[in-house]
Amino acid sequence: MRFHVMWRRDLPGSEFTPFYETDDIYEAKDFAMRLAYEEVNIVYVLDTKLDTPVRNFDDPIYRE
């Protein structure tokens, strides 16, 4: 899977772990937004192909 939704609780000593994996950028965005709705969660989407966090979900590089 190309996109990993990474999350952690906002607690000392907690680390980011994969929460959900998909090949669809919009599905990753949807899961990340739902997970981030809870204030104690810190969330980002990792593009494993480029090995970098997703900054702009509409960027054409994520449709390759």
Side-chain angles (χ1 to χ4, degrees):
M1 297 288 145
R2 179 172 178 181
F3 301 104
H4 292 206
V5 177
M6 306 294 289
W7 80 287
R8 74 176 176 89
R9 293 278 186 190
D10 191 11
L11 299 171
S14 62
E15 296 185 17
F16 281 99
T17 58
F19 180 80
Y20 185 75
E21 300 174 359
T22 182
D23 286 322
D24 184 340
I25 187 68
Y26 294 113
E27 188 175 23
K29 179 182 177 181
D30 183 54
F31 266 86
M33 296 292 288
R34 291 171 192 252
L35 193 58
Y37 185 74
E38 192 173 326
E39 290 180 11
V40 296
N41 293 335
I42 300 174
V43 181
Y44 73 93
V45 175
L46 176 68
D47 181 347
T48 59
K49 182 178 178 183
L50 302 176
D51 196 30
T52 185
V54 174
R55 301 280 184 215
N56 176 2
F57 288 93
D58 296 322
D59 194 324
I61 64 171
Y62 300 123
R63 288 176 190 61
E64 298 174 351

